[in-house]
Amino acid sequence: MADRLVNSEANARRIAFVESCFGSSGQVLAIPNRLLVGEGVLTKMCRKKPKPRQFFLFNDILVYGNIVLSKRKYNKQHILQLENVKLLSVPDDGVLCNGWQIISPGKSFTVYAATATEKSEWMAHINKCVQDLIAKYGRKSVLATMDPSPVWVPDSDASTCMCCRKSEFSLVNRRHHCRKCGIVCCGACASRRWMFPHQSAKPLRVCSTCYNKLSLSGDANPGRSSALNNKPTESSGEDSSDSEAENASNGPTNGQPTFYER
């Protein structure tokens, strides 16, 4: 069934439409043997607050982006290779329910579905795609030899530095995130950087605790620097898709996901 759908006109038309919704800023998605498995809106836990994001599940990648105009225009496209993805269910916590973590080497985060049924559907379809890539096509995950990126602690969960537990955050004392463990820390505790090639081509902030552990591990890391220079830097280097992007919708999650016959 899947082989027939891959080469179908309906699949080609769906993928072409996704490409058109991202426009010239998005990557080419129509390649041989690629199948659009499903699509829908999930609430992604971003740095400052949960926000709706449009997700597209293909048989080899997971694509998501900001919603500019529902079902018509998206931006800030991100692509995750599915063989390097694993899922972890998240317990319900008050208003935030039906969630799970998407873990990968380059970026990890938490998403929430509107219902428990939708959560089960999303997780089942993603896991099936991952299993097929590894079992049927011999794809190998780098997670066996590489630590995944951490899921960031939301800014709202930390009023004081989670490293020194003393420094209180304010308009002047800004929050930063450790790229090794994901905690929120103050500028003094996040004054070191370390190279994580799977996350960025540039050295990234780490908390003092993680920096000391990495230094003691003997991991050769010529890209690390003992401290940040005096040039102004972003508070955490968060990509723009998680910021208050212009023209992006921050409304509630609407509509059920659509999964195509495989």
Side-chain angles (χ1 to χ4, degrees):
M1 175 65 75
D3 292 337
R4 180 175 64 82
L5 288 176
V6 164
N7 299 314
S8 69
E9 181 180 342
N11 181 59
R13 186 170 58 251
R14 291 169 187 149
I15 295 177
F17 181 72
V18 175
E19 285 186 340
S20 68
C21 287
F22 279 103
S24 59
S25 63
Q27 295 187 31
V28 174
L29 300 174
I31 65 171
N33 300 317
R34 176 167 287 168
L35 174 68
L36 179 58
V37 177
E39 59 184 275
V41 178
L42 294 171
T43 298
K44 180 176 178 288
M45 177 56 75
C46 297
R47 179 183 169 189
K48 294 183 178 181
K49 61 182 180 181
K51 299 178 183 179
R53 295 289 184 257
Q54 181 72 31
F55 282 77
F56 297 95
L57 175 62
F58 295 83
N59 58 344
D60 62 333
I61 58 175
L62 181 65
V63 179
Y64 68 94
N66 289 14
I67 303 170
V68 179
L69 191 60
S70 181
K71 299 183 179 181
R72 294 183 62 183
K73 185 176 182 180
Y74 312 112
N75 63 13
K76 308 297 182 183
Q77 185 187 79
H78 293 266
I79 298 178
L80 302 179
Q81 299 296 323
L82 282 181
E83 68 267 26
N84 298 325
V85 166
K86 68 177 181 179
L87 308 181
L88 296 175
S89 183
V90 174
D92 292 348
D93 181 18
V95 178
L96 297 174
C97 300
N98 312 312
W100 69 96
Q101 292 180 344
I102 298 176
I103 308 296
S104 76
K107 191 170 181 65
S108 301
F109 50 87
T110 303
V111 293
Y112 296 90
T115 66
T117 299
E118 291 182 16
K119 171 184 175 178
S120 297
E121 290 179 335
W122 271 107
M123 293 188 71
H125 280 92
I126 294 173
N127 281 326
K128 180 65 165 58
C129 290
V130 173
Q131 293 166 7
D132 287 348
L133 281 172
I134 295 175
K136 295 182 179 180
Y137 303 106
R139 297 281 188 91
K140 294 184 178 180
S141 173
V142 301
L143 290 175
T145 58
M146 182 183 297
D147 290 336
S149 296
V151 175
W152 285 11
V153 175
D155 283 4
S156 58
D157 286 3
S159 59
T160 59
C161 176
M162 299 176 72
C163 187
C164 67
R165 301 188 182 279
K166 296 178 181 179
S167 180
E168 294 186 358
F169 296 121
S170 64
L171 292 176
V172 177
N173 189 26
R174 301 172 66 188
R175 292 171 172 83
H176 304 272
H177 279 85
C178 173
R179 295 318 200 286
K180 176 63 177 176
C181 67
I183 67 168
V184 184
C185 42
C186 64
C189 289
S191 63
R192 307 281 185 167
R193 292 199 178 205
W194 197 274
M195 277 296 300
F196 299 105
H198 53 288
Q199 293 189 46
S200 174
K202 298 179 180 180
L204 300 174
R205 289 182 184 270
V206 291
C207 68
S208 55
T209 300
C210 286
Y211 181 84
N212 291 335
K213 290 180 180 179
L214 289 166
S215 298
L216 291 174
S217 70
D219 179 23
N221 195 333
R224 74 176 187 265
S225 59
S226 59
L228 300 179
N229 57 33
N230 293 323
K231 293 181 180 179
T233 58
E234 73 286 354
S235 62
S236 64
E238 175 142 9
D239 61 66
S240 56
S241 71
D242 288 345
S243 65
E244 298 293 341
E246 291 184 4
N247 300 322
S249 169
N250 289 316
T253 302
N254 292 313
Q256 295 181 343
T258 300
F259 294 102
Y260 305 106
E261 188 178 9
R262 295 190 66 190

